[in-house]
Amino acid sequence: MKIVENIAQIIYDSLSQGMTIEEITSLIEKPKNLENGDYAFPVFKIAKHVKRNPNEIATELAFRIDLTKFDKIEAKGPYVNFYLKKDRIASQLITEINNSSRYGFNEVGRDKTILIDLSSPNIAKPMSMGHLRSTVIGNAIANLATANGYKTVKINHLGDWGTQFGLMIAAYKKWGNNKSIENYSIDELVKLYVDINNAAKENPKIAEEGRAWFKKLEENDDEAISLWTIIRKQSLIEFFEIYDRLGISFDSTNGEAFYNDKMQNIVTLLENKKLLTKSQGAEIVDLPKLLPDSNLPIAMIKRSDGATLYITRDLAAAVYRKHEYEFDKAFYVVGAEQKTHFLQLKAILKLADFDWSDDIEHISFGLITLGGSKMSSRKGNTIALVDVLNTAHNLALQQINIKNPDLLNANDIAEEVGVGAVIFNDLMNDRKLSIDFNLDDIVRFEGDTGPYVQYTNARIHSILKKSTGYQKNDNNVLNDDKTWPIISKMLDFPNVIKKAFDQRDPSQIAKYILQLSREFNSYYANTKILVEDENLNARLGLITSVSKIIETSLKLLGIKAPNEM
Ligand code: ARG
């Protein structure tokens, strides 16, 4: 049901000012309080345009709109409020939701491809909380893109190349004794990395050795490549244990190393376009000089020893991906601390006349902390992601054991609940905010949590299990005041899916299902669902559709929806 579009059309037909349907659609709001209608249209913009009092405009507009399609239309201050015809809408909507697996989805992105660069942890290091954020935000945005009809390509741009791997190999050659590199755990590799970094600070000769090994890597030296290959493989095994638990997959795990043989082209191109300058032996793009207003710093493209850099690989990757996938948009889901990097990347591509650089979007996010302590992989105070997931799992299991001690597969369900809680917590806040969280709070079955939403859905399943089941296509006559808040919320789902994608903001979905769950739970507290009366089937239809929407939403966020918990 395309309610908002229909209302927009009706407003459009009644307006003489030149506003497009799209503009009108984007202005339509859902009032917080149903007393102000199911939808509202603010007239500030029109009033400003024609330089008149908004309240007058609203009154005139409300008067002009065709009433037959609505229960009531009312001007309230600068708003026109629309009240829908409850009984008709309720029955249509419930039938629609229960008959389709795509309720709420649209085809806006048909034939368009969105590339999503996400997760992208660095090998030989544990995956950080920042990478977890990139993974779950990126995955949710990819799901939202699909729900809006786009084709998506998810790329895990592994940090598997760079001078640090030269240092790493130098450390192994120095201190590895005879222990084969296969037998190093990530923790041991990290220790090797930390130790050699400290040593290199004291002794420039060691830093030199590291650079020499990276040079060998870039030149495809057999020994260097074989050590690097093993380190990479070990890391991927650990990363994929986490991805499997999160239920996340990628279309490509070509990381930075993949571009080793693809960088020379872009360097040559920059040279031909006269964008490269030599500075103390290094090759740079002098952005302060080329784009004085941009305030961007110099971008180093090649070090004086010829080694390439992070941005060199990103330049090559962007060009390669445009070619390979012909994307319409390329999203980079990466922490806000890399803002300058992506501005430089876009600026250099633009200077090189790649117009599509405008289609690159850095989807940034804030810092995540656990109980106040910053989780950084360079310092000693890291909290491994696996520990976070394990603790969440155990907390979920404890609650299940109390609430539902006879539950079969309690351990599997605890995993879905614990991991879901971590994902939900990550997604429910505006991504740009930094969030501090405490595992006890986020795994609770009550409050603004993932488990609360999952629990609501499991509750609906348990009610349905006790019933004879909903008979489809029945006339669902529910026009009472207790039901309407739920209907009105469900009516808004298509709109939420669209907005959440347009604003690259999965938190809108999370907030939406929290609200829908609350609406359902207050309905459930006041209504006997399973009593045998003429509306029994209609009520079963209603709660079935609530469950479907919760399940679709959780799936969009990348969270499982157990039937029992
Ligand atoms: N590996 C990088 C890091 O951990 C993130 C890579 C993001 N993607 C990219 N194309 N630069 O900081």
Side-chain angles (χ1 to χ4, degrees):
M1 212 176 288
K2 298 203 158 117
I3 293 284
V4 175
E5 282 85 345
N6 292 346
I7 296 178
Q9 180 68 49
I10 290 167
I11 296 173
Y12 180 81
D13 294 342
S14 317
L15 274 181
S16 43
Q17 283 79 20
M19 238 193 203
T20 63
I21 298 216
E22 286 72 33
E23 275 177 289
I24 296 172
T25 311
S26 71
L27 287 174
I28 293 176
E29 296 173 10
K30 185 122 187 86
K32 288 217 162 55
N33 192 333
L34 279 178
E35 278 169 22
N36 293 324
D38 297 297
Y39 288 94
F41 179 67
V43 300
F44 302 108
K45 219 172 166 180
I46 304 177
K48 208 172 158 200
H49 188 70
V50 297
K51 298 198 177 67
R52 284 186 48 203
N53 178 330
N55 294 15
E56 277 172 36
I57 304 249
T59 312
E60 277 177 29
L61 184 58
F63 184 71
R64 239 179 296 149
I65 289 173
D66 177 8
L67 233 179
T68 53
K69 302 216 164 75
F70 298 93
D71 210 23
K72 192 164 80 172
I73 295 175
E74 213 173 57
K76 196 162 179 188
Y79 286 88
V80 180
N81 297 337
F82 297 83
Y83 300 78
L84 303 175
K85 282 197 196 303
K86 295 190 168 83
D87 44 358
R88 206 179 64 200
I89 299 258
S91 92
Q92 276 177 16
L93 181 73
I94 291 173
T95 307
E96 182 176 342
I97 296 174
N98 291 333
N99 279 328
S100 147
S101 57
R102 294 181 51 83
Y103 171 70
F105 291 17
N106 67 68
E107 288 295 326
V108 173
R110 188 202 291 265
D111 298 329
K112 295 208 182 91
T113 299
I114 295 190
L115 198 135
I116 298 140
D117 180 310
L118 76 166
S119 196
S120 312
N122 303 318
I123 65 166
K125 283 188 189 172
M127 197 187 297
S128 70
M129 288 303 279
H131 296 118
L132 171 80
R133 290 214 85 180
S134 169
T135 311
V136 302
I137 295 172
N139 185 55
I141 290 179
N143 291 340
L144 281 169
T146 312
N148 281 273
Y150 293 89
K151 184 173 170 273
T152 61
V153 181
K154 288 191 278 178
I155 301 184
N156 188 347
H157 187 73
L158 289 175
D160 57 2
W161 209 244
T163 35
Q164 70 271 31
F165 299 106
L167 258 185
M168 192 103 217
I169 294 175
Y172 172 71
K173 294 293 286 181
K174 266 179 147 22
W175 303 321
N177 297 320
N178 282 325
K179 182 167 163 180
S180 140
I181 190 105
E182 274 105 338
N183 298 330
Y184 275 77
S185 67
I186 299 287
D187 287 346
E188 287 168 318
L189 290 175
V190 172
K191 183 165 184 320
L192 214 55
Y193 182 67
V194 171
D195 289 350
I196 191 92
N197 264 297
N198 290 335
K201 260 179 234 145
E202 313 258 289
N203 182 352
K205 267 192 73 185
I206 294 187
E208 196 54 49
E209 282 172 41
R211 277 196 291 275
W213 273 107
F214 184 55
K215 201 161 173 52
K216 284 191 175 187
L217 258 182
E218 290 212 298
E219 286 163 358
N220 271 316
D221 170 83
D222 282 348
E223 185 182 11
I225 290 286
S226 90
L227 288 170
W228 169 85
T229 306
I230 295 166
I231 297 176
R232 185 178 191 273
K233 202 177 109 203
Q234 302 289 90
S235 294
L236 279 183
I237 292 173
E238 292 212 5
F239 294 162
F240 271 88
E241 273 168 22
I242 293 177
Y243 294 141
D244 287 346
R245 289 183 73 174
L246 296 173
I248 282 172
S249 61
F250 303 95
D251 298 299
S252 161
T253 39
N254 285 336
E256 297 185 37
F258 178 73
Y259 300 98
N260 187 31
D261 60 358
K262 298 173 183 62
M263 280 180 281
Q264 193 47 51
N265 279 349
I266 182 83
V267 174
T268 310
L269 187 131
L270 296 179
E271 221 163 60
N272 293 342
K273 299 247 170 199
K274 311 241 171 314
L275 296 170
L276 280 189
T277 328
K278 267 231 176 324
S279 165
Q280 300 169 352
E283 304 274 1
I284 62 162
V285 178
D286 195 344
L287 289 170
K289 200 166 138 203
L290 293 166
L291 299 172
D293 295 336
S294 71
N295 276 326
L296 288 172
I298 285 175
M300 196 189 284
I301 305 296
K302 270 193 164 190
R303 292 186 205 277
S304 54
D305 62 2
T308 59
L309 292 99
Y310 181 49
I311 195 156
T312 326
R313 295 185 279 281
D314 256 333
L315 285 164
V319 175
Y320 173 86
R321 290 167 179 181
K322 180 66 192 178
H323 224 87
E324 179 75 14
Y325 302 107
E326 297 179 343
F327 59 73
D328 295 278
K329 291 244 175 245
F331 294 170
Y332 290 76
V333 187
V334 186
E337 70 280 1
Q338 292 195 26
K339 183 167 178 219
T340 307
H341 169 78
F342 286 103
L343 289 173
Q344 288 177 309
L345 178 68
K346 286 183 70 160
I348 297 172
L349 290 168
K350 186 98 180 177
L351 285 168
D353 300 320
F354 292 118
D355 286 345
W356 48 264
S357 62
D358 291 333
D359 301 323
I360 289 182
E361 268 181 53
H362 173 203
I363 298 189
S364 69
F365 50 81
L367 214 62
I368 194 166
T369 52
L370 185 76
S373 65
K374 181 178 167 190
M375 294 193 253
S376 140
S377 67
R378 245 164 266 155
K379 295 181 200 124
N381 61 348
T382 25
I383 300 165
L385 207 49
V386 200
D387 294 340
V388 172
L389 297 181
N390 289 344
T391 311
H393 174 117
N394 291 336
L395 286 169
L397 191 59
Q398 279 169 23
Q399 292 181 81
I400 290 172
N401 286 340
I402 297 168
K403 287 207 167 216
N404 194 353
D406 301 327
L407 184 64
L408 296 170
N409 310 324
N411 206 41
D412 294 345
I413 292 171
E415 176 74 1
E416 300 185 352
V417 174
V419 172
V422 173
I423 300 178
F424 192 88
N425 173 62
D426 199 319
L427 292 176
M428 88 182 189
N429 299 291
D430 177 344
R431 64 181 154 78
K432 296 227 167 102
L433 298 176
S434 290
I435 54 177
D436 183 70
F437 74 100
N438 165 323
L439 278 170
D440 286 309
D441 291 341
I442 70 167
V443 191
R444 266 211 287 264
F445 283 26
E446 295 95 26
D448 291 347
T449 65
Y452 170 70
V453 175
Q454 289 171 319
Y455 193 68
T456 304
N457 183 50
R459 173 177 278 168
I460 296 177
H461 278 276
S462 109
I463 302 170
L464 288 171
K465 224 169 134 183
K466 285 185 215 135
S467 77
T468 46
Y470 166 59
Q471 306 299 318
K472 276 188 186 170
N473 294 325
D474 181 72
N475 280 334
N476 305 290
V477 251
L478 289 173
N479 56 3
D480 57 291
D481 289 345
K482 277 189 275 179
T483 316
W484 188 247
I486 300 182
I487 301 282
S488 180
K489 249 281 81 73
M490 296 199 298
L491 215 45
D492 209 32
F493 191 47
N495 218 21
V496 177
I497 289 188
K498 193 157 177 301
K499 274 208 175 135
F501 174 72
D502 288 347
Q503 298 171 9
R504 326 291 187 230
D505 181 12
S507 79
Q508 297 189 24
I509 300 285
K511 288 179 188 129
Y512 173 82
I513 23 173
L514 279 173
Q515 290 158 4
L516 181 62
S517 301
R518 269 187 228 116
E519 291 296 357
F520 168 78
N521 284 317
S522 76
Y523 172 81
Y524 180 61
N526 293 307
T527 317
K528 290 207 167 61
I529 295 177
L530 291 179
V531 274
E532 298 273 352
D533 62 16
E534 74 279 7
N535 278 336
L536 171 61
N537 192 49
R539 284 191 301 272
L540 295 177
L542 174 78
I543 67 171
T544 306
S545 36
V546 172
S547 160
K548 283 192 78 168
I549 291 192
I550 293 181
E551 288 173 5
T552 305
S553 301
L554 287 174
K555 200 163 171 195
L556 286 172
L557 298 180
I559 298 172
K560 301 268 169 45
N563 286 349
E564 287 179 281
M565 61 189 264

